[in-house]
Amino acid sequence: MPLGALRPSPLVEQATQHLRDQITGGQWPVGTKLPAETALATTLGVGRSTVREALRALAGAGLVQARQGAGVFVIATEPEEDWPTRLRRAAVTDVYEVRMLVEVQAARLAAQRRTKADIAAMRAALEGRRAAAAGDDAGFVDADIALHTAVVTAAHNPVLSDLFVEFVPALRTGLIDLLDILDLRTHEPQHGDAAHEALVRAVERGDADTASNALQAELEGTLARLYRL
């Protein structure tokens, strides 16, 4: 595959894509030392700074690695996927298992650390979940996730909160599909209301054991249904 000269703009993106194509297309196998920056710049018709930025982007994707005094070498022929992409591709059961680890601990911490504002937010989210029962599955799932988000937020751990946010898109898709396939809300529009009420009450009164146990039981029930799909 000849590299070919590039159009003027955007040069870095074009250079990165051309070099990536050489690697993923097999022209430069793993272990290959890339041509020097000057040679690449001449072939691509760009400046060395553009080549340098393109190589930095490829290194960030896990395709190449610079070795001091030796040059730049191909270390992989497929780019590394970022965390959100891996979550989108993951089986919903795998995502849900990790969700349980995150949320059960979050519920325990929430019971220990909740504030009056947190309790008000959880109560409002619980009522929002009940109100959403009259709507479609997507709206109900959004309201359900909002309640779980309020519980995680009450743990006052920004890392837990950020991690939960990363799971939300994959969880949302999986839960909407679950409700649709199993038709869970036809006879129980507020599916899981009692379990969520028990969770909020436990957090509200500061009962960490009951809060974590209530949430674990609720999530395990959903996960069991996902396994059967």
Side-chain angles (χ1 to χ4, degrees):
M1 179 189 299
L3 289 175
L6 301 179
R7 298 185 304 277
S9 176
L11 294 179
V12 173
E13 289 84 351
Q14 290 183 62
T16 301
Q17 188 59 53
H18 274 66
L19 296 176
R20 183 193 296 262
D21 289 345
Q22 293 291 109
I23 294 170
T24 59
Q27 282 73 25
W28 289 334
V30 171
T32 300
K33 178 182 177 181
L34 299 189
E37 286 182 5
T38 303
L40 289 174
T42 299
T43 304
L44 295 172
V46 298
R48 289 183 61 185
S49 62
T50 299
V51 171
R52 196 172 299 118
E53 287 300 317
L55 292 175
R56 188 173 292 120
L58 294 175
L63 293 174
V64 303
Q65 182 181 68
R67 299 175 186 168
Q68 181 117 21
V72 178
F73 293 81
V74 177
I75 60 173
T77 56
E78 292 295 332
E80 293 179 354
E81 292 182 331
D82 59 19
W83 180 238
T85 301
R86 293 186 67 183
L87 282 177
R88 286 194 298 270
R89 292 168 58 89
V92 67
T93 49
D94 292 339
V95 174
Y96 218 87
E97 287 174 351
V98 180
R99 177 198 181 184
M100 286 179 58
L101 297 176
V102 171
E103 280 202 68
V104 170
Q105 178 62 16
R108 176 174 293 278
L109 292 175
Q112 297 167 347
R113 301 174 178 176
R114 79 278 184 266
T115 65
K116 289 182 179 179
D118 293 327
I119 293 170
M122 284 185 287
R123 279 289 165 193
L126 181 61
E127 291 307 313
R129 188 179 188 275
R130 288 167 174 164
D136 60 15
D137 286 347
F140 182 74
V141 167
D142 287 339
D144 178 77
I145 290 174
L147 173 54
H148 285 268
T149 300
V151 174
V152 173
T153 299
H156 293 281
N157 183 314
V159 177
L160 272 176
S161 294
D162 289 347
L163 189 56
F164 182 73
V165 167
E166 294 284 358
F167 284 113
V168 165
L171 287 175
R172 183 179 188 274
T173 300
L175 291 175
I176 291 172
D177 289 345
L178 178 68
L179 291 177
D180 179 53
I181 292 170
L182 298 183
D183 200 22
L184 292 176
R185 296 179 59 237
T186 297
H187 303 294
E188 188 186 1
Q190 294 184 6
H191 177 74
D193 182 69
H196 287 80
E197 171 72 28
L199 169 63
V200 171
R201 284 184 178 275
V203 173
E204 188 173 10
R205 66 175 181 267
D207 187 341
D209 287 340
T210 300
S212 60
N213 290 340
L215 186 52
Q216 181 158 349
E218 190 253 324
L219 294 178
E220 282 180 347
T222 303
L223 185 58
R225 290 186 173 95
L226 288 171
Y227 282 142
R228 292 195 292 269
L229 290 182

